Amino acid sequence: MGTVVFLPGNGSDPMTLLVENLKKNFASPDGSTQAVVNIDHFVLGNAEQLAVEGRSGTGKTTFLNLIAGILQADSGTIAIDGEEMSGLSESKRDVLRARKIGYIFQTFNLLQGFTALENVILGMTFGPGADEEFALGLLERVGLKNRADYRPRQLSVGQQQRVALARALANRPRLVLADEPTGNLDSRSAFESLELIREVSLENRASLLLVSHDRRILERFDTVTRFEDINRATE
Amino acid sequence: MLFRIVRKSLRQHIVSTTVTALAIALAAGLVMSVFAIQRQTYAAFTGGDIGFDAVLGARGSQLQLVLNTVFHLETSPGNIPYSLYKEIAGNAQVELAIPYAVGDNYEGFRIVGTTEEIFTEFGFRRGKKFQPEPGGRFFDSDAQEAVIGSFAARETGLKIGDIFQPYHGLIFDEKNRHNDDYTVVGILEPTNSPSDRVIWIPLDGIYRMSGHVLRGAGENYTAQTGETIPDEAKEVSAVMLKFKSPQAGMNLDQLINRQGKAATLAFPIGRTMAELFDKLGWVNRVLELVAYLVVVVAAFSILAGIYNSINERRREFAIFRALGARRPTVFAVILLEAVSVAAIGTLLGYCVFILIMWATAFIVREQTGVVLDIFRFEWALVFTPLLMIIVGAVAGILPALKAYRTDVAENLSPVS
């Protein structure tokens, strides 16, 4: 079983993420219920960066979606920055997600009709509110200030991924979730992208929870947890 | 940002947005036009100041009498003796009595025989009398001269100094040409009234027109050149009247319509026309129904246009939700799109309204001489946009609900 390591902090720093007795079932085609997520205990400390390794289909995305409040757990608790999410209504979970969570999707999920800058602004619109200057600053940090007016189809895959990163940080989140963020990139771009994600998350004091099955990426982390080790549903 | 999202979406689906907006424009333009035309034609035909209070004519339909003499439409209901004209002109309650004799035309424009008082005494609108354009004058009652309304002059091409022959009847038929030469001596300045379509000649000219037979005395009488026509032989088609007081009209209405049997007095003129519009009220209702049906079609156009796009946009809504947008926010975006399309369409609808009004005004002016004011304020121009925006909002509810129900996890990209 992998080891969960906390970055040292003082006793007053709240844990960014605390998961307890989390369960999520889905209905199978034959009508039976199948457990997809069954996690007793999971924590992520303040500004901690953790990679979770797992094979495809083991429920990693479901786990991330539960943390993000996109899905509601059947039971258990999820607390973000001390704020209990699992008992909240969907609307309140949406608000919490807008304020505290940034999400980098596997295929980026950028809006094709919006420019890079507009995509980043969207990341903050439903939370702290649009701040064009801050959004431009993020694009500059990821090296895309000169591409601010470009639409996603006018950007390379690597550039799109950087826009997705900037968007994930636009609402100044406490927690960044990254679901296979380098899955569509070649090795060199993947490493560069990973370093950028880690650096920028650290600069913004956001904890990072990254899921991947790419060994080359996982090797870059000090702390890697195997999803099968924490998720009893995959036993 | 919500408005930016809406603007982007409308631009991304530009074809659908354009088609829907055009449908709304047509609906809005139609609704505004129907109500504006109804109100303006009613006002023009029933309430406008036409200068006369009443019309005296042959026994029969008041409506036909008014249409024939005031609007120069329809056929004349018949003639009345000249003596009746003299009698009413001498009535103490009558301020002005002008005889008309009709029955001829030139290129379809009616020729009206009358006296000089139509130019010297009659005001076609309060304080306004007929004026000849520079270089022209009114006709001499003893001469074969004509004064032409501005519209008739433009359409026939007749100019001052031109000579023309009248044609008998209301249809321009070569077989019915009179062998009488009339000289154009004046063209009237535009009055924006049915009088612009008229060719005025002296009353005596009608009596002496070749082929005309007078039956005022009960026997046929044909005027001879140089010979004075006895009054008892003369007839007139109608007498246009202006009273000294409204009471005069009521007194004469009692005397002529209720007690007499020889003639008909159409009084008040406005009420006679209003009765026509009342009879044709069903036409208005049909037009309104058609307009409202077009609105319903336009509403469905909004609904279909946006609803069909929702499926393609599920991922887009899922991304909004994943970024923290609540369901009501997604609902509001779609509703705002529907309202925006309705608003754009309504703005275009004003162009459609102007086009329809212009075409209608052209036709009405051509046919009756009555002028509609395209740019006159109507409350329909205010209420219709509000109606269309409400229609847009209502049409947007179903697609908005569909977007509201978008499942985030299902519609985001593939899982790992």
Side-chain angles (χ1 to χ4, degrees):
Chain A
M1 184 172 169
T3 307
V4 175
V5 174
F6 294 103
L7 282 180
N10 65 44
S12 66
D13 284 349
M15 283 175 285
T16 300
L17 174 64
L18 172 62
V19 175
E20 305 250 59
N21 302 315
L22 188 68
K23 288 193 177 73
K24 179 66 180 174
N25 302 323
F26 284 113
S28 297
D30 62 5
S32 62
T33 303
Q34 185 182 355
V36 176
V37 170
N38 185 357
I39 295 174
D40 290 334
H41 182 78
F42 182 85
V43 297
L44 193 63
N46 191 21
E48 182 183 354
Q49 299 193 349
L50 177 71
V52 173
E53 176 197 2
R55 298 186 318 268
S56 293
T58 53
K60 302 190 298 299
T61 298
T62 302
F63 178 48
L64 291 184
N65 285 343
L66 286 166
I67 293 170
I70 290 171
L71 287 173
Q72 174 138 46
D74 293 326
S75 62
T77 59
I78 302 171
I80 309 286
D81 231 17
E83 260 187 86
E84 164 61 43
M85 173 185 277
S86 29
L88 296 178
S89 65
E90 183 188 62
S91 185
K92 291 201 166 107
R93 293 203 310 270
D94 293 337
V95 171
L96 187 59
R97 179 167 65 252
R99 283 192 298 117
K100 298 222 171 182
I101 297 176
Y103 205 142
I104 306 172
F105 301 95
Q106 184 174 359
T107 54
F108 320 138
N109 281 330
L110 298 177
L111 287 165
Q112 297 300 319
F114 290 69
T115 62
L117 178 62
E118 287 166 344
N119 268 284
V120 175
I121 291 175
L122 262 178
M124 59 175 70
T125 292
F126 307 110
D131 181 344
E132 192 166 316
E133 204 178 312
F134 181 66
L136 267 172
L138 281 171
L139 279 176
E140 187 174 11
R141 176 62 186 89
V142 301
L144 289 176
K145 190 179 177 187
N146 293 337
R147 298 280 191 269
D149 293 332
Y150 282 49
R151 290 198 155 70
R153 64 176 174 274
Q154 296 170 304
L155 301 171
S156 68
V157 173
Q159 288 171 333
Q160 289 181 43
Q161 209 257 6
R162 282 187 270 160
V163 173
L165 168 61
R167 184 180 69 182
L169 289 160
N171 59 336
R172 297 177 172 89
R174 293 285 294 126
L175 172 64
V176 174
L177 305 173
D179 188 0
E180 301 278 4
T182 59
N184 290 321
L185 303 177
D186 58 76
S187 292
R188 185 171 157 211
S189 301
F191 293 143
E192 285 172 359
S193 178
L194 177 65
E195 288 314 306
L196 194 56
I197 291 172
R198 297 191 70 181
E199 279 168 21
V200 179
S201 297
L202 201 59
E203 285 161 15
N204 287 273
R205 300 288 298 165
S207 304
L208 171 64
L209 177 60
L210 183 146
V211 302
S212 179
H213 62 264
D214 188 339
R215 286 254 104 230
R216 302 165 300 166
I217 298 303
L218 295 168
E219 283 166 4
R220 298 281 173 135
F221 278 81
D222 296 330
T223 314
V224 177
T225 297
R226 285 182 64 234
F227 192 62
E228 289 86 345
D229 291 343
I230 62 170
N231 185 19
R232 290 167 60 192
T234 54
E235 285 171 357
Chain B
M1 188 67 189
L2 277 191
F3 287 102
R4 202 186 279 195
I5 292 171
V6 168
R7 203 175 66 231
K8 290 237 169 251
S9 170
L10 293 180
R11 257 201 234 147
Q12 262 187 295
H13 302 94
I14 190 67
V15 172
S16 164
T17 301
T18 304
V19 168
T20 307
L22 287 175
I24 296 285
L26 180 63
L30 258 179
V31 170
M32 290 191 285
S33 307
V34 163
F35 284 102
I37 290 168
Q38 274 176 9
R39 285 178 49 82
Q40 286 203 36
T41 50
Y42 188 86
F45 280 87
T46 67
D49 178 10
I50 56 165
F52 289 117
D53 298 322
V55 184
L56 179 72
R59 196 76 175 162
S61 163
Q62 291 187 29
L63 178 62
Q64 184 182 3
L65 188 57
V66 168
L67 285 173
N68 183 246
T69 55
V70 176
F71 297 101
H72 305 289
L73 301 168
E74 268 285 358
T75 55
S76 169
N79 294 332
I80 55 174
Y82 190 82
S83 57
L84 202 50
Y85 153 60
K86 297 303 281 185
E87 188 184 328
I88 200 122
N91 190 302
Q93 299 176 94
V94 173
E95 182 181 319
L96 181 65
I98 298 179
Y100 277 8
V102 300
D104 292 308
N105 80 96
Y106 179 72
E107 290 192 8
F109 290 93
R110 300 194 179 200
I111 293 174
V112 177
T114 189
T115 60
E116 285 171 7
E117 287 165 307
I118 196 73
F119 306 120
T120 60
E121 303 296 328
F122 171 62
F124 65 88
R125 210 161 281 137
R126 201 178 303 276
K128 288 187 173 227
K129 292 188 180 162
F130 291 135
Q131 292 293 332
E133 286 181 355
R137 59 173 174 82
F138 300 131
F139 60 59
D140 183 338
S141 293
D142 296 321
Q144 288 191 187
E145 294 177 343
V147 173
I148 303 184
S150 59
F151 188 83
R154 194 180 77 214
E155 295 296 307
T156 60
L158 287 171
K159 300 179 297 299
I160 292 172
D162 284 352
I163 295 172
F164 69 96
Q165 291 83 43
Y167 287 72
H168 192 70
L170 301 178
I171 296 170
F172 189 53
D173 187 343
E174 184 58 40
K175 292 197 301 288
N176 296 333
R177 186 156 62 97
H178 287 296
N179 291 326
D180 299 87
D181 288 342
Y182 273 78
T183 305
V184 180
V185 298
I187 294 172
L188 295 176
E189 287 186 351
T191 63
N192 289 335
S193 73
S195 297
D196 290 342
R197 300 175 52 81
V198 174
I199 298 172
W200 307 96
I201 67 171
L203 186 62
D204 208 55
I206 294 287
Y207 296 150
R208 295 184 183 280
M209 199 82 70
S210 61
H212 277 187
V213 175
L214 304 177
R215 296 185 183 85
E219 291 172 1
N220 290 355
Y221 177 92
T222 304
Q224 303 301 321
T225 309
E227 189 182 276
T228 303
I229 304 170
D231 283 355
E232 53 268 23
K234 294 178 188 174
E235 299 172 287
V236 294
S237 305
V239 184
M240 311 303 290
L241 298 168
K242 195 156 175 59
F243 300 128
K244 288 180 179 164
S245 71
Q247 187 62 38
M250 289 190 277
N251 293 341
L252 285 169
D253 176 52
Q254 179 74 14
L255 183 70
I256 295 171
N257 290 330
R258 295 175 214 292
Q259 295 174 5
K261 289 182 173 53
T264 291
L265 184 75
F267 173 80
I269 290 172
R271 187 182 65 193
T272 305
M273 293 305 297
E275 282 170 7
L276 169 66
F277 276 84
D278 289 343
K279 283 190 173 68
L280 294 178
W282 63 271
V283 174
N284 284 337
R285 284 193 287 281
V286 167
L287 285 176
E288 285 169 24
L289 182 64
V290 168
Y292 289 140
L293 279 173
V294 175
V295 169
V296 169
V297 167
F300 276 108
S301 177
I302 294 180
L303 192 156
I306 297 181
Y307 195 90
N308 287 338
S309 75
I310 298 292
N311 272 340
E312 303 163 15
R313 298 169 65 189
R314 280 180 301 179
R315 187 163 158 269
E316 181 185 324
F317 301 136
I319 293 170
F320 287 145
R321 294 288 320 287
L323 295 175
R326 298 177 304 130
R327 286 189 196 269
T329 304
V330 173
F331 182 94
V333 164
I334 298 302
L335 210 59
L336 202 53
E337 276 183 33
V339 167
S340 298
V341 172
I344 293 169
T346 302
L347 282 175
L348 291 174
Y350 283 112
C351 299
V352 173
F353 166 75
I354 288 172
L355 274 172
I356 295 176
M357 287 299 291
W358 178 83
T360 305
F362 179 80
I363 292 169
V364 169
R365 176 118 199 249
E366 275 253 304
Q367 297 298 317
T368 70
V370 168
V371 174
L372 301 182
D373 184 356
I374 295 173
F375 297 108
R376 195 171 98 166
F377 174 78
E378 299 286 341
W379 278 109
L381 299 175
V382 172
F383 290 132
T384 304
L386 293 174
L387 167 71
M388 299 313 296
I389 283 171
I390 291 170
V391 163
V394 169
I397 288 176
L398 203 58
L401 277 174
K402 190 170 179 187
Y404 180 93
R405 288 196 280 261
T406 300
D407 186 281
V408 183
E410 258 182 47
N411 290 290
L412 285 175
S413 294
V415 303
S416 62

